[in-house]
Amino acid sequence: GFLVENEVSKLEGAMSNPEHPLVVLIGGAKVEDKTPMIDQFLPVADQILVGGKIAADGYAATDPKIYVAEDYQGMSRKAAAIIASHVIRKPDCVLGLATGGTPVGTYKSLIEDWYKPGDLDFSQVRTVNLDEYVGLSPEHDQSYAYFMHHNLFDHINIAPENVHLPDGLDPDAERQGKLYDDLIHSLGGVDMQLLGIGHDGHIGFNEPCDEFVNGTNHVKLTDSTIDANQRFFEKREDVPTHAYTMGIGSIMKAKRVLLVCNGAGKAQAVK
Ligand code: F6R
């Protein structure tokens, strides 16, 4: 670990060794004086320990850390900054990625605020996505592979061989589950997993339930998900009925998880 004193400028040195967790110790004066500093460290620190008078004054580091942003853009910028800090610290990190409406702004900020100005290099980054529809080819404009290319991969310098999604065209669910789990394992596991959350609390395509599945699995989509997706397809019969999804067990194995959530309708799911 590192002890970083006062100056945020020392952060760069502390970040130079990606193998070491960045632990920030903040203590001393009043919480109001130190809050801006804590905010600056939040996106990059693995852990922030507060002590002394700040702790006594009531600053509680949250576990999980919850960042509340002003609006969708603010949330997206903060999420992008957290992901960017991981890529800077570990250029060949494994990012777990999600689709859906929520992370679109995060991907946009990664492209516009980090990649385009030349501050982020994806050339060694590896990615694994959470899920893919069964039966859709990567070229289908509703496939998650298409989504990822359109919203992120086509705009950054990621190597095509380093991006991975479950193969929606594999008819053998058992084989596909095993292949995807083996792949994640061979990459050394996920360093940071980006997640969205459904209104009913689903993560990936894992619906809330008593007993979660560990590895990548084949799920039947609920009627409400099929209904919700119908708007993207000409006919209801065209809407995929099944998907491959990483299991909650695999997701929880990620070293860090970053869940982005926007809109009052999701409040209950977050609670
Ligand atoms: C996406 C995924 C889903 C979404 C969830 C929220 O890969 O697996 O669990 O994260 O459905 O979607 P949005 O962001 O569109 O509200």
Side-chain angles (χ1 to χ4, degrees), residues 76-155:
S76 302
R77 281 197 307 273
K78 183 80 109 181
I82 293 169
I83 296 169
S85 71
H86 272 72
V87 175
I88 291 167
R89 291 178 67 200
K90 190 174 180 192
D92 63 346
C93 68
V94 177
L95 297 178
L97 299 177
T99 59
T102 316
V104 169
T106 304
Y107 296 145
K108 198 160 188 281
S109 175
L110 278 171
I111 297 163
E112 300 295 330
D113 304 329
W114 290 91
Y115 178 69
K116 283 195 181 163
D119 293 331
L120 205 57
D121 175 18
F122 287 91
S123 61
Q124 297 174 62
V125 170
R126 285 90 42 85
T127 68
V128 283
N129 259 79
L130 275 177
D131 40 18
E132 179 60 284
Y133 288 121
V134 173
L136 298 192
S137 75
E139 291 75 35
H140 191 291
D141 65 5
Q142 290 306 321
S143 73
Y144 285 171
Y146 185 96
F147 174 102
M148 288 309 303
H149 281 277
H150 182 73
N151 285 293
L152 183 65
F153 300 151
D154 290 352
H155 309 282

Side-chain angles (χ1 to χ4, degrees), residues 25-91:
L25 310 175
I26 299 175
K30 285 199 194 106
V31 67
E32 307 89 73
D33 301 339
K34 292 286 164 76
T35 311
M37 198 160 104
I38 295 172
D39 280 348
Q40 269 176 294
F41 282 122
L42 268 175
V44 289
D46 291 288
Q47 212 179 336
I48 296 185
L49 305 176
V50 291
K53 183 134 178 24
I54 310 186
D57 280 357
Y59 183 87
T62 48
D63 187 18
K65 289 182 200 159
I66 299 180
Y67 312 93
V68 179
E70 186 85 338
D71 52 19
Y72 178 75
Q73 271 72 31
M75 177 200 76
S76 302
R77 281 197 307 273
K78 183 80 109 181
I82 293 169
I83 296 169
S85 71
H86 272 72
V87 175
I88 291 167
R89 291 178 67 200
K90 190 174 180 192

Side-chain angles (χ1 to χ4, degrees), residues 212-230:
F212 288 119
V213 178
N214 268 324
T216 303
N217 59 103
H218 182 241
V219 287
K220 185 172 174 354
L221 306 190
T222 60
D223 283 344
S224 76
T225 303
I226 296 173
D227 287 345
N229 288 348
Q230 198 178 334

Side-chain angles (χ1 to χ4, degrees), residues 193-205:
Q193 177 68 54
L194 178 65
L195 297 177
I197 187 166
H199 287 90
D200 67 355
H202 68 243
I203 301 266
F205 274 113

